[in-house]
Amino acid sequence: MLKRGLIALAGSATLVIGLIAPAQAAVTAKYPGQVKCPKGDYQLCIDGGPGGFTISGRKFSGHANAILLRNVKNVTVSGNEFKNLSGSTGYAAVHVKNSSGIVIRKNVFANLRNGGMMHGVYLVKTSGSSITGNKFSSITGDPVRIRDGSKNNVVSGNTFTKTGQYAMFSEWGRLDKSEACGSGNIFKNNKYGAGYSGKTISVIKWGGRGGGSTGLPLTWGNCKKASIVNKGGNTRI
């Protein structure tokens, strides 16, 4: 007779009877590079790994943040819902760091807020990525923000309604702390309305520094060249 907690072999199959100690249970990550999330109330975290996969068809809500991608290439985030995210540690629904080739398309971002400004997508040291065909609504911070040398990213074909504090697509960083300006980022063919407060805001702002807890006045245009360019085709709704 098999006792609880023992493992019996039947041919090539392994049969587990009863309770197995946690140390014995094999945990397989759903996505390559998936790790335990750091502090910040994230729901799904990828750090490194081979990339080349898609996160799709998921609903994220009830936390400060949703997805954190770090040190990864060629990951697609498509067909997800990011709704009702809020909390004191809220940065963004999709927070990307030191990555490239990230595709964020056909997602819904709605009702994102925290004590300050929360973003839909936040790219830090990230390049060659695209944010296309998404719907952003009721977001306290700028729906798409880049930081610290992010370059060659494209924001196109999205719809922005009642979202943003300063711009639909903005760049901000600690330029006083040696963070770098970005380059080659493009905003085109989007539909947009008023900002979160109901007032008209810019479609793009770049070279932002200061504000918040920095002790410096918030100013824009602090880079030698425009790091975000409006390529046109944008329509006010």
Side-chain angles (χ1 to χ4, degrees):
M1 179 180 293
L2 294 172
K3 297 182 180 180
R4 291 176 61 84
L6 295 181
I7 298 176
L9 297 178
S12 60
T14 302
L15 176 65
V16 180
I17 305 295
L19 301 176
I20 302 300
Q24 293 175 276
V27 178
T28 303
K30 182 175 180 180
Y31 304 100
Q34 185 171 342
V35 297
K36 181 179 179 181
C37 289
K39 291 181 179 179
D41 198 21
Y42 293 93
Q43 300 172 63
L44 171 62
C45 300
I46 308 295
D47 193 347
F53 60 88
T54 297
I55 300 170
S56 65
R58 298 190 57 167
K59 295 182 179 181
F60 297 89
S61 64
H63 291 255
N65 305 286
I67 296 176
L68 174 62
L69 302 176
R70 292 195 297 198
N71 308 310
V72 70
K73 297 180 179 179
N74 305 324
V75 171
T76 297
V77 179
S78 177
N80 303 283
E81 290 185 1
F82 302 91
K83 294 183 176 181
N84 304 316
L85 299 173
S86 64
S88 60
T89 58
Y91 289 103
V94 181
H95 193 180
V96 186
K97 298 181 177 181
N98 195 35
S99 297
S100 64
I102 307 301
V103 176
I104 301 171
R105 68 185 180 202
K106 296 184 178 179
N107 302 282
V108 174
F109 298 85
N111 301 320
L112 311 183
R113 64 185 73 85
N114 61 13
M117 294 182 295
M118 185 169 175
H119 311 291
V121 178
Y122 192 8
L123 308 181
V124 183
K125 288 187 176 179
T126 294
S127 64
S129 299
S130 63
I131 301 165
T132 61
N134 303 283
K135 295 182 178 179
F136 297 88
S137 63
S138 298
I139 300 174
T140 56
D142 298 344
V144 182
R145 172 161 287 186
I146 57 173
R147 180 173 177 177
D148 199 6
S150 291
K151 61 184 180 180
N152 302 328
N153 301 294
V154 177
V155 177
S156 66
N158 304 284
T159 301
F160 303 94
T161 56
K162 194 183 177 184
T163 181
Q165 181 73 18
Y166 301 106
M168 305 301 162
F169 184 16
S170 66
E171 176 192 45
W172 179 91
R174 290 306 304 266
L175 303 181
D176 56 305
K177 298 283 188 179
S178 74
E179 287 191 6
C181 293
S183 63
N185 300 286
I186 293 172
F187 185 85
K188 65 180 182 179
N189 302 328
N190 299 282
K191 296 180 180 179
Y192 65 97
Y196 183 76
S197 66
K199 297 180 179 180
T200 298
I201 62 175
S202 301
V203 292
I204 63 171
K205 277 188 175 294
W206 50 272
R209 60 169 283 189
S213 60
T214 67
L216 302 170
L218 176 61
T219 58
W220 301 93
N222 295 289
C223 299
K224 292 181 179 180
K225 292 184 178 181
S227 43
I228 302 174
V229 177
N230 181 353
K231 287 289 188 178
N234 301 296
T235 305
R236 186 173 177 84
I237 55 177

